[in-house]
Each structure stands twice: as structure tokens, then as C-alpha cells.
């Protein structure tokens, strides 16, 4: 045991010191600006999401179909993620939809992802005898969309020793469901560069 | 340069308040298409001073020009940012939209970062989020 | 010094060797635990694990192994609980390391003593596997939303590790230069370099990202109706394991599958896990240390990798009588562990170098003094100093034994097969070296996930309600120790 004792003591002291140091480090939590410019890493971030959603909404509101003020019925389809980054494209389309809805110029029909929930609710009202027959949602009353929104996001990533460059391109299109014509399309580009050191 | 300024000032004085024919001031309560209500706006400089609000970190990037139009029912704005320095500057900007009551007409926008090369201009454009927005402020800050 | 006195001193020194038992031999502990588990006695394995971890404050390793053993006996709740505890410890390490990256490249304790005395922080691939395996538990219980949370944690953890390791590599390199240390494994005479530096290991992007974690992420996102995220998962998996048809088909068919209506069949993903993760074993090597422009060889322990079970990769999975699906090996934790050691070796060697520098000087001086005495014809004094040098060497053997710790109950290989099956019960059969093993599974819904684990001759089906079909004569599978170990 003897040869170890001094070493063990050193170890104990250093472990204790480490524990104390860890104990001293106090975390500070603060609220930040949810819409502030975020440049922590060059992965797809909150600022990119907000900029894209805002640019697309404003541009779409200027499209003739919407500006003509005849309250088009739109459904949001998938924005395809063509990058290898985990970009929540649903979060982007949700933001776009919320902004458009707030403008009061567009109405939204149930999209494919929410259809199951919609059907379930109609079925539930239909099947449940506790509901007032006069007011329950009936089958065959849903309104189909006149236009569909779809898009994609792609990226080009270049990396060298001390520099990483990411270029994102977000493209959104509005198609007329009846005649298949492209009514509106717009793009938003973002370039971000990280340099080390 | 000085003579032009003096000449412009003289011309403004000569034409007086009812100068409907002066370029940029054709419509009452508007300067270069932008709503100014009853503010005392007689020049591009006045308009910029009334509409631009630096926030947070100061930068020597300045707004030099600003024009507005109405597209559909919504206001459309173009503003020119100028970087006079010999270095790259980064700024972030956003618009605040104001309704007829002087209240916010829409949620706060996100900050939009802009990279400005040495000795360069950059035009930022914006469309109002809705038709309630009848006035605006351009807010910007340094990002360096 | 007379001969008898010298041998007495030696005897005392040798007798003090068991003192190193205060440092755990992790391999010895785990070999017994895993042998029991592989024989099907998971309860016994857990009891052994408990016996070896009596302290109330359990460490990361305990929770990792405990979670894995509980999973083997399909007790998913205690398994997830144990892994959550482990995950909390990893999260604590993450925030501490992010706040102070200098902690990483070797704390004070490890420089003065050896690596084993450092608190166990987990290898990077273990940290990533931890949240992946929590996701597997949630899937086994049918909780896809909880699985999605664990998968997101995996992405976040990978990002943190990537940032930290980048900083660490730079730091180790500059520190090594400062000390004039040799940190290339080729410098270690007799080190089995090819075990950790071979084409399979070098083909990995890094030690911690695995195709299975990302493929699983893709599958879960797809099942939850998020093709945008699913595409990223499949794409990452393809990048991590190129030229694997099952991964490429997943991405290519994503849009079609998302758009198609429910046809009454189930998209089933089978995960077959085989074997056990390799063990780190302590071995002694001569590390050259420059003293007075001369290289003194100091015996230092370094970890080498050893696979406890011969690798077995079944080629296909049989479902019912007429279906046979090819199995693709998408992730080898064995290779990841080897890559982790390859990546860690410069830092381990740097620490070994710093620790041994003092010993090298002492040894150099003792040798020179002995040489001088021999020259002057004073034999007895020379002998005493020889004993002194020997004592130094033995002392270094006591304090020097490499860190053997690691999550040992992880599987060595993860294979997948995916396809459509009619809803209802199916018998899946897996060919093994010891004959066929089968399990009864039940699939329902549009997507289903089924995990099976093969350790030695035993098949474990990780389903909440399942009956495995085992032949009665399942012999004990020994987790082989290897000879020539130093402790």
C-alpha cells in the first residue's frame, strides 16, 4: 500500500479541487431576443428560418392571385429537405402559414399531414350520439384547396481547413390545383461563412 | 455642391408650403411617397431623420435615400444603405410597422443581417405585412 | 547489500503489487457479467454488476451496463431509467467541457496518476449510442414521440462532440510539441497498430457518428410524417455508410412512400444486433523518452483492443416460410471503438509521456550511477542501485496500467432489414453458427420497429410481449480472456 499513498493523496486532492471548481462555476440563464441575429454556428438556425418565412410571406402576399383579394384557398404541402442537415421544414411552412393567415388574405384547407386528425374528428362527431345532430360536422362538406404550396431547400457546403461556407437556397411555389399552372414562385438565398481563429 | 444646396433651399422657400409640384412632395402629407403626416419634412435628409432609428450598436453605415409606393393596398419601401468606410461592414435591419392609431400594425420582424462591401451601397426593400400598416420605421444596428 | 536482503526487498515490492486492486480491473468485472448474460442468465449478470458496484453513487459505466442488461430482459422502463441517469452524467460532462475545454486534453489527476483515476467520462461513440439506445427502448414500447426526443438529443450531442473534439485535437498537438512528446502509435514498439489503424476503421468519418443512429432517425421522422427531417437522416446515413442499398432505397423511395395511402401493410424495420463491443486491455510497451539527448525506454501501459466474441454477421433474415430479407451491416461499434482508440492514442501517449518523464530521469540517473560504480569496481553498491532501478520499474508497473473502462455490453455490429409485411403475427428466423434461432413478432400500424439481439448462441427479442424460441441445449458462451495481461 505504501508506494501508493502519496499518489492517492495527490489524486484525492485533485479530484476534490476539480469538484470544487465545478461547484463554483455558476450558470447564468437569461432571456434573449427570439428574433435576434443568431450566429453561433453556421448550421441552419432561427434567424434563417425567420428570414425565409418573412421573405416568402411578403412576396406571396404580393402575388396577383392573393393581391386580387379573392381569398384563395391554399393547402401547404411538404417543403423537401435536399440538404443533409436536420432542417425542420415543417417549422418553416408553419411559420409561413401563420404569417399568411394573420394577413387575412389567404384561407387554408387541411393539408395531407393533418387529414387523419380531421377525419378522426368528423367521425367522432358523427358516431357520438351525445352531439346535437343539427350542428355536427357532416362528411362530404370539406372544401378542397384551389392552390397548393410546395417547395424545397437545398444547400452547398464547402469546407477547407479554417473556413466553412454554407449556401442555402429556399424555393417556394404556388400551383393552381385545377389547371396545374404555376401562379407564383420565389427564392431566398442565404450564405453563411465561419472562419476559425 | 454648396451652390446646389443653397439653390435647393431657396427654391423650397420660394415655393412655400403648398408646393405640390416639387418632385417627391406632390402629395400632401407624403414625402417621396412615404407618409409623413404633419411632420416637418422638407428634404430627403428630413425624411430619413424621421423614419430611421439606429438601435443597439452604432455603425457608420448610413441610410442615404428612401422611397415609398403603394402596391395593391400595401406599402412598399426601398431604402439605400451606404458604407462609406474602406472596410467591410455588417449591419442588421428590420422594419416596424405602424397603423393609423400609431400602434404596431404587425408583430416585430426578424433582424435581417446584411453584408456591405467597402465603399458600397445596398438597397433594402420591404412590403408591409398588411394594409393596416400606414407608417413605418427602419431600425438598424451594427453587427461587427 | 547481501543477496538475501535484495530478494527480501523484491519480495516486499512484489507483495505490494496487489495494492493495485484499489484500481478496478474493469475487464475482469465485466467478463463475468457478460458471460452470464450471454448464457441467458441476465438476472445473474445484473447481480454480478451490482456486486461490483456497491457504492451508492454509481458511475456512468454502471448505468450504461445496467440499462443494457435490463433491455436484454425486456424490462424497458428500468433500462430507460438507468440510461437517463447515464445521459444526465454525459450532459453534465458536456456543459462542463463546453465551459472549459482545457479539461478535455487531460486533467491534473490523470497527468500525475494514471488514466484510470480520472472520472469515467465515456467514449464519444458511447455517448451517442446512449441516446440512440434510449430511442430504441421507446420504440420497443411503441412511444414514437419519446423516441423522436431521444433522437433529437442524439443530433445535439453529436454537434457538441464535434465542436469539442476539434478543439482537443489542436490542443493535444500543441501540447505534444511543447513537451517534445512522441504521440504516434508507430513509436510504440510492438503495439498492434493494425487493430486500430486499418481500412475499415479509417473509412469511418469519425468515431462517434453512426449510420444506424441516422437511419433510425430517418425512419422515426418518416413514421411521424416528417419527410423533411427523414430525408436528412437517410442522407446522413448514406454519407456515413456509402454503397449500402438499404440506405439508398430508403431515401430514393421516401417521397413515394410519404405520398401513398395506407395499403394495409406495415413498413417494418428490423434491427439485428450481434456480438459484444471490444474490450480495452492494458498492455505494457516501451515508450522512448528523451533525457539528455538520449532516448530512455520507459515501460508504460497502453490500452489495446480485443474482441470478446468472434464476429458473426448473418446474411439474411427469414420471415415465415417464404420471405427472406437480406441483412445489411450498417454500423460496426467494433470499428467505432477502434477508431475512438486511434483518435485517443495521441492524448493517451502524451499523458503517458508526461507521467513518465520524471521516471525516465530517475532511471537514467540510476543507470548512469550504476555504470560509474561498476567502473570503480564497487560491485555491492552497483547491485543495490540495480535493485533501485528495478524498484522504479516495478513502481511504474503498479501505478501504470491503462484505462480499460468502456461500455462492454454494447453490440459489436448492427444490421438492418426493411420491407413490407402484412399486419399480424410473424415468425422471424435468424441463422446463427449454433443453428437457427427464431422469435414470434407481431406487427401493426403503418410503421413498426423490431429489434433482435444475438449474443453468442442466444437470441434476445427486444419486444414488450414476445416469446423467443430457443433450443434447450443452449451452452454457456464464454467471453474469452486473453493471455499475457499485466494485471
Amino acid at each position: 500500500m505504501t508506494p501508493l499513498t502519496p499518489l492517492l493523496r495527490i489524486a484525492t486532492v485533485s479530484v476534490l479541487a476539480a469538484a470544487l471548481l465545478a461547484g463554483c462555476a455558476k450558470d447564468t440563464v437569461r432571456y434573449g431576443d427570439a428574433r435576434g441575429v443568431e450566429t453561433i454556428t453556421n448550421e441552419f438556425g432561427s434567424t434563417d428560418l425567420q428570414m425565409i418565412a418573412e421573405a416568402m410571406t411578403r412576396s406571396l402576399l404580393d402575388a396577383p392571385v392573393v393581391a386580387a383579394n379573392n381569398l384563395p384557398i391554399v393547402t401547404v404541402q411538404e417543403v423537401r429537405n435536399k440538404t443533409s442537415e436536420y432542417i425542420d421544414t415543417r417549422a418553416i411552412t408553419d411559420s409561413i402559414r401563420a404569417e399568411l393567415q394573420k394577413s387575412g388574405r389567404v384561407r387554408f384547407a387541411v393539408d395531407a399531414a393533418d387529414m387523419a386528425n380531421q377525419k378522426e374528428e368528423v367521425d367522432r362527431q358523427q358516431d357520438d350520439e351525445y352531439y346535437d345532430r343539427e350542428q355536427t360536422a357532416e362528411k362530404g362538406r370539406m372544401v378542397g384547396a384551389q392552390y397548393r404550396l410546395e417547395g424545397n431547400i437545398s444547400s452547398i457546403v464547402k469546407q477547407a481547413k479554417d473556413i466553412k461556407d454554407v449556401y442555402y437556397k429556399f424555393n417556394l411555389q404556388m400551383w393552381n390545383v385545377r389547371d396545374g399552372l404555376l401562379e407564383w414562385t420565389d427564392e431566398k438565398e442565404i450564405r453563411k461563412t465561419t472562419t476559425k481563429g | 455642391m454648396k451652390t446646389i444646396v443653397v439653390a435647393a433651399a431657396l427654391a423650397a422657400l420660394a415655393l412655400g408650403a403648398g408646393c405640390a409640384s416639387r418632385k417627391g412632395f406632390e402629395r400632401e402629407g407624403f414625402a417621396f411617397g412615404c407618409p409623413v403626416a404633419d411632420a416637418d419634412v422638407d428634404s430627403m435628409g428630413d425624411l430619413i431623420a424621421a423614419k430611421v432609428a439606429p438601435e443597439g450598436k452604432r455603425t457608420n453605415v448610413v441610410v442615404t435615400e428612401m422611397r415609398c409606393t403603394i402596391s395593391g393596398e400595401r406599402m412598399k419601401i426601398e431604402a439605400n444603405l451606404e458604407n462609406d468606410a474602406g472596410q467591410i461592414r455588417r449591419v442588421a435591419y428590420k422594419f416596424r410597422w405602424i397603423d393609423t392609431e400609431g400602434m404596431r400594425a404587425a408583430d416585430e420582424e426578424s433582424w435581417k443581417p446584411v453584408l456591405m462591401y467597402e465603399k458600397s451601397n445596398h438597397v433594402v426593400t420591404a412590403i408591409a405585412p398588411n394594409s393596416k400598416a400606414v407608417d413605418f420605421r427602419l431600425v438598424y444596428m451594427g453587427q461587427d | 547489500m547481501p543477496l538475501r536482503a535484495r530478494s527480501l526487498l523484491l519480495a516486499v515490492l512484489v507483495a505490494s503489487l496487489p495494492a493495485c486492486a484499489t484500481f478496478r480491473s474493469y475487464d475482469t468485472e465485466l467478463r463475468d457479467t457478460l458471460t452470464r448474460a450471454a448464457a441467458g442468465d441476465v438476472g445473474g449478470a445484473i447481480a454480478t454488476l451490482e456486486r461490483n458496484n456497491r457504492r451508492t453513487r454509481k458511475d456512468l459505466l454502471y448505468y450504461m451496463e445496467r440499462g443494457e442488461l435490463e433491455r436484454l430482459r425486456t424490462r424497458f422502463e428500468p433500462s430507460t431509467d438507468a440510461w437517463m441517469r447515464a445521459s444526465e452524467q454525459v450532459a453534465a460532462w458536456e456543459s462542463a467541457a463546453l465551459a472549459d475545454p482545457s479539461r478535455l486534453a487531460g486533467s491534473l489527476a490523470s497527468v500525475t496518476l494514471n488514466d484510470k483515476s480520472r472520472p469515467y467520462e465515456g467514449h464519444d461513440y458511447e455517448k451517442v449510442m446512449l441516446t440512440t439506445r434510449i430511442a430504441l427502448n421507446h420504440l420497443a414500447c411503441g412511444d414514437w414521440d419519446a423516441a423522436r426526443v431521444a433522437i433529437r438529443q442524439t443530433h445535439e450531442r453529436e454537434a457538441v462532440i464535434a465542436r469539442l473534439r476539434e478543439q482537443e485535437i489542436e490542443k493535444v498537438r500543441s501540447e505534444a510539441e511543447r513537451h517534445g512528446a512522441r504521440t504516434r502509435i508507430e513509436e510504440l514498439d510492438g503495439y498492434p497498430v493494425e487493430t486500430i489503424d486499418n481500412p475499415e476503421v479509417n473509412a469511418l468519418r469519425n468515431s462517434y457518428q453512426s449510420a444506424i443512429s441516422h437511419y433510425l432517425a430517418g425512419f422515426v421522422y418518416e413514421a411521424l410524417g416528417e419527410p423533411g427531417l427523414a430525408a436528412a437522416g437517410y442522407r446522413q446515413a448514406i454519407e456515413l455508410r456509402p454503397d449500402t442499398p438499404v440506405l439508398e432505397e430508403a431515401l430514393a423511395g421516401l417521397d413515394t412512400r410519404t405520398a401513398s395511402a395506407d395499403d394495409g401493410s406495415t413498413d417494418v424495420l428490423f434491427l439485428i444486433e450481434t456480438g459484444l463491443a471490444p474490450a480495452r486491455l492494458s498492455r505494457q510497451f516501451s515508450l522512448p523518452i528523451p533525457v539528455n539527448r538520449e532516448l530512455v525506454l520507459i515501460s508504460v501501459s497502453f490500452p489495446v483492443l480485443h474482441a470478446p466474441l468472434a464476429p458473426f454477421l448473418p446474411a439474411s433474415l427469414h420471415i415465415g416460410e417464404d420471405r427472406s430479407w437480406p441483412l445489411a451491416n450498417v454500423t460496426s461499434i467494433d470499428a467505432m471503438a477502434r477508431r475512438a482508440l486511434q483518435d485517443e492514442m495521441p492524448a493517451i501517449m502524451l499523458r503517458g509521456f508526461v507521467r513518465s518523464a520524471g521516471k525516465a530521469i530517475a532511471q537514467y540517473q540510476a543507470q548512469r550511477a550504476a555504470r560509474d560504480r561498476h567502473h570503480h569496481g564497487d560491485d555491492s553498491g552497483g547491485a543495490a542501485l540495480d535493485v533501485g532501478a528495478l524498484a522504479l520499474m516495478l513502481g511504474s508497473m503498479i501505478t501504470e496500467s491503462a484505462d480499460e473502462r468502456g461500455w462492454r455490453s454494447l453490440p459489436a455490429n448492427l444490421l438492418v432489414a426493411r420491407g413490407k409485411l402484412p399486419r399480424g403475427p410473424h415468425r422471424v428466423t435468424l441463422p446463427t453458427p449454433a443453428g437457427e434461432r427464431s422469435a414470434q413478432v407481431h406487427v401493426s400500424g403503418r410503421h413498426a420497429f423490431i429489434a433482435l439481439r444475438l449474443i453468442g448462441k442466444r437470441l434476445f427479442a427486444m419486444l414488450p410481449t414476445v416469446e423467443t424460441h430457443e433450443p434447450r441445449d443452449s451452452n454457456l458462451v464464454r467471453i474469452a480472456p486473453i493471455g499475457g495481461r499485466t494485471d
Side-chain angles (χ1 to χ4, degrees):
Chain A
M1 199 59 209
T2 10
L4 280 177
T5 323
L7 288 168
L8 276 178
R9 202 172 296 150
I10 295 171
T12 320
V13 168
S14 39
V15 165
L16 276 177
L20 277 174
L21 278 175
C24 287
K26 210 173 156 203
D27 292 344
T28 349
V29 180
R30 292 197 199 95
Y31 283 100
D33 177 5
R35 291 180 168 256
V37 179
E38 177 265 320
T39 50
I40 294 164
T41 66
N42 71 3
E43 273 85 51
F44 192 86
S46 60
T47 303
D48 306 316
L49 191 154
Q50 289 163 359
M51 280 202 295
I52 287 173
E54 195 180 293
M56 289 300 138
T57 318
R58 300 286 166 83
S59 167
L60 181 58
L61 287 176
D62 218 23
V65 187
V66 181
N69 218 357
N70 42 19
L71 293 174
I73 301 167
V74 180
T75 184
V76 181
Q77 287 186 329
E78 201 56 39
V79 168
R80 273 186 203 86
N81 179 3
K82 294 184 175 174
T83 75
S84 49
E85 225 179 291
Y86 287 97
I87 297 173
D88 192 346
T89 53
R90 186 64 54 80
I92 306 176
T93 49
D94 281 353
S95 286
I96 293 175
R97 189 162 62 175
E99 284 274 314
L100 288 173
Q101 185 71 28
K102 267 193 267 177
S103 78
R105 295 295 190 90
V106 178
R107 287 177 298 165
F108 287 93
V110 172
D111 57 28
D114 285 333
M115 194 58 187
N117 287 343
Q118 171 72 15
K119 279 186 194 163
E120 202 178 303
E121 178 59 23
V122 173
D123 287 343
R124 201 176 62 85
Q125 290 191 13
Q126 285 290 318
D127 299 344
D128 202 326
E129 58 192 39
Y130 288 87
Y131 281 104
D132 179 352
R133 281 295 119 205
E134 302 272 295
Q135 293 177 47
T136 48
E138 288 168 43
K139 283 183 188 170
R141 293 275 174 174
M142 282 172 64
V143 180
Q146 299 162 307
Y147 302 92
R148 59 185 178 87
L149 277 176
E150 67 167 28
N152 58 65
I153 181 163
S154 50
S155 69
I156 300 171
V157 182
K158 291 272 167 92
Q159 199 158 9
K161 192 169 171 284
D162 293 323
I163 191 161
K164 186 181 180 194
D165 184 272
V166 190
Y167 166 82
Y168 293 107
K169 194 175 82 168
F170 184 92
N171 182 292
L172 195 66
Q173 301 143 17
M174 186 156 95
W175 295 87
N176 190 320
V177 175
R178 179 166 296 172
D179 55 24
L181 289 176
L182 180 62
E183 297 283 358
W184 165 92
T185 179
D186 203 354
E187 283 189 340
K188 172 81 185 164
E189 295 168 299
I190 296 171
R191 161 164 252 129
K192 293 206 274 187
T193 312
T194 313
T195 30
K196 279 177 201 151
Chain B
M1 186 67 194
K2 208 169 178 183
T3 37
I4 301 171
V5 176
V6 174
L10 282 174
L13 276 175
L15 285 164
C19 55
S21 61
R22 192 160 69 107
K23 192 138 176 55
F25 294 88
E26 294 86 351
R27 219 174 124 197
E28 182 102 16
F30 287 83
F32 303 97
C34 305
V36 292
D38 45 8
D40 193 11
V41 173
D42 262 342
S43 64
M44 183 57 82
D46 286 350
L47 175 68
I48 288 164
K51 297 296 171 199
V52 176
E55 256 182 28
K57 206 169 174 186
R58 292 297 184 264
T59 167
N60 47 15
V61 170
V62 289
V63 180
T64 55
E65 245 182 275
M66 182 176 276
R67 276 165 216 291
C68 313
T69 60
I70 299 289
S71 155
E73 287 170 17
R74 296 183 305 144
M75 204 191 311
K76 204 171 186 174
I77 301 157
E78 253 183 40
N80 183 61
L81 298 177
E82 184 188 278
N83 173 19
D84 202 24
Q87 291 147 321
I88 287 182
R89 293 274 180 243
R90 287 184 170 81
V91 293
Y93 74 93
K94 62 179 169 184
F95 285 87
R96 278 204 188 108
W97 303 98
I98 301 162
D99 68 10
T100 44
E101 311 291 318
M103 315 246 301
R104 291 284 171 89
D107 285 345
E108 195 74 6
E109 284 189 353
S110 68
W111 284 101
K112 289 164 272 286
V114 176
L115 175 138
M116 301 208 49
Y117 290 109
E118 307 89 323
K119 304 263 177 209
S120 69
N121 289 281
H122 182 93
V123 176
V124 298
T125 57
I127 306 174
N130 52 44
S131 53
K132 279 192 297 174
V134 294
D135 197 2
F136 70 94
R137 294 287 179 279
L138 167 58
V139 192
Y140 74 109
M141 62 158 82
Q143 287 283 300
D144 290 298
Chain C
M1 194 188 284
L3 200 67
R4 196 175 297 167
R6 228 197 293 174
S7 30
L8 191 71
L9 182 56
L10 265 179
V12 169
L13 282 168
V14 170
S16 67
L17 271 173
C20 69
T22 44
F23 297 119
R24 301 157 65 179
S25 167
Y26 198 71
D27 178 55
T28 318
E29 278 180 33
L30 256 287
R31 212 186 307 137
D32 187 25
T33 311
L34 294 175
T35 301
R36 282 172 187 280
D41 178 16
V42 183
I46 290 177
T48 311
L49 182 74
E50 286 296 327
R51 241 192 336 275
N52 288 324
N53 291 276
R54 285 184 196 276
R55 277 175 296 175
T56 37
R57 221 185 113 82
K58 316 280 196 214
D59 70 347
L60 179 59
L61 271 177
Y62 164 82
Y63 287 121
M64 284 172 167
E65 309 282 13
R66 177 73 195 240
E68 194 69 53
L69 293 172
E70 294 286 4
R71 178 171 159 78
L72 280 182
R73 57 174 180 181
T74 66
R75 293 199 185 167
F76 297 109
E77 240 174 77
S79 168
T80 308
D81 282 349
W83 280 338
M84 288 292 197
R85 299 291 287 275
S87 190
E88 277 166 26
Q89 295 196 9
V90 174
W93 166 85
E94 273 176 359
S95 57
L98 279 172
D100 180 14
S102 61
R103 283 170 48 108
L104 285 172
S107 58
L108 185 68
S110 67
V111 174
T112 48
L113 209 60
N114 76 46
D115 284 2
K116 287 163 80 178
S117 58
R118 315 170 76 194
Y120 187 72
E121 289 173 343
H123 303 303
D124 288 342
Y125 67 92
E126 295 172 352
K127 294 173 199 150
V128 175
M129 272 301 151
L130 185 61
T131 40
T132 305
R133 298 191 82 69
I134 291 174
L136 294 183
N137 270 359
H138 289 312
L139 287 180
C141 301
D143 191 345
W144 294 72
D145 288 319
R148 186 187 188 281
V149 172
I151 279 164
R152 284 208 65 101
Q153 283 171 347
T154 309
H155 306 333
E156 281 158 22
R157 198 152 277 172
E158 277 187 0
V160 170
I161 291 169
R163 268 178 67 193
L164 290 171
R165 290 304 164 221
E166 213 168 275
Q167 292 168 338
E168 192 187 12
I169 289 167
E170 204 43 55
K171 194 170 160 53
V172 169
R173 195 179 296 141
S174 67
E175 280 287 298
E177 264 170 35
R178 201 165 64 83
H179 286 97
R182 317 218 160 188
T183 57
R184 283 162 46 85
I185 36 173
E186 289 81 3
E187 305 266 353
L188 286 179
D189 191 26
Y191 192 89
V193 175
E194 70 290 343
T195 57
I196 61 170
D197 186 357
N198 60 45
E200 190 199 359
V201 169
N202 295 333
L204 300 177
R205 188 195 282 171
N206 49 46
S207 72
Y208 53 90
Q209 283 186 303
S210 69
I212 188 65
S213 292
H214 290 277
Y215 184 71
L216 189 73
F219 185 73
V220 169
Y221 287 132
E222 184 183 337
L224 291 172
E226 295 176 283
L229 288 165
Y234 293 143
R235 203 166 279 125
Q236 287 273 359
I238 293 169
E239 284 171 17
L240 288 161
R241 194 85 176 188
D243 307 320
T244 312
V246 67
L247 304 182
E248 282 161 6
E249 283 158 18
L251 182 63
L254 177 63
D255 286 342
T256 334
R257 290 196 303 274
T258 319
S260 67
D262 188 357
D263 61 358
S265 66
T266 303
D267 188 353
V268 192
L269 175 62
F270 282 99
L271 173 67
I272 314 296
E273 305 176 322
T274 67
L276 289 164
R280 285 190 180 199
L281 301 174
S282 179
R283 289 277 197 85
Q284 298 237 319
F285 298 95
S286 299
L287 186 66
I289 294 175
V291 180
N292 271 353
R293 296 201 194 114
E294 267 180 53
L295 284 181
V296 176
L297 288 179
I298 288 283
S299 188
V300 184
S301 296
F302 288 105
V304 296
L305 276 185
H306 170 71
L309 294 170
F312 171 68
L313 300 170
S316 58
L317 180 75
H318 306 292
I319 300 138
E321 295 300 315
D322 45 3
R323 282 190 185 83
S324 177
W325 290 358
L327 280 166
N329 185 16
V330 293
T331 292
S332 164
I333 291 179
D334 186 86
M336 290 166 81
R338 289 169 199 278
R339 176 60 180 264
L341 185 56
Q342 189 196 91
D343 292 347
E344 276 172 52
M345 271 311 263
I348 296 175
M349 284 181 73
L350 173 64
R351 286 195 295 268
F353 183 91
V354 171
R355 272 201 313 279
S356 311
K359 283 178 205 156
I361 293 166
Q363 190 171 313
Y364 172 78
Q365 280 167 347
Q367 278 168 1
R368 227 179 62 171
R371 236 178 7 238
D372 289 350
R373 297 269 173 114
H374 276 297
H375 272 292
H376 294 109
D378 183 359
D379 256 4
S380 64
L385 276 163
D386 282 348
V387 174
L390 188 64
L392 274 169
M393 269 181 62
L394 276 174
S396 80
M397 275 169 74
I398 294 165
T399 50
E400 276 298 331
S401 96
D403 193 355
E404 292 184 335
R405 293 173 296 178
W407 183 356
R408 292 276 302 276
S409 49
L410 273 178
N413 289 289
L414 295 114
L415 300 87
V416 297
R418 182 173 173 180
K420 289 209 151 196
L421 284 180
R423 286 168 198 173
H426 296 275
R427 174 158 292 276
V428 286
T429 311
L430 205 60
T432 79
E436 291 195 330
R437 295 285 182 274
S438 62
Q440 185 76 25
V441 301
H442 189 96
V443 299
S444 62
R446 285 197 73 171
H447 295 87
F449 174 80
I450 287 157
L452 302 171
R453 172 123 190 221
L454 195 68
I455 304 178
K457 296 175 177 178
R458 208 160 256 276
L459 184 71
F460 298 86
M462 257 72 80
L463 301 161
T465 47
V466 76
E467 35 172 299
T468 53
H469 208 69
E470 290 279 341
R472 230 164 278 156
D473 64 333
S474 62
N475 293 327
L476 224 79
V477 180
R478 280 260 166 237
I479 309 300
I482 62 160
R485 291 162 23 73
T486 53
D487 57 351

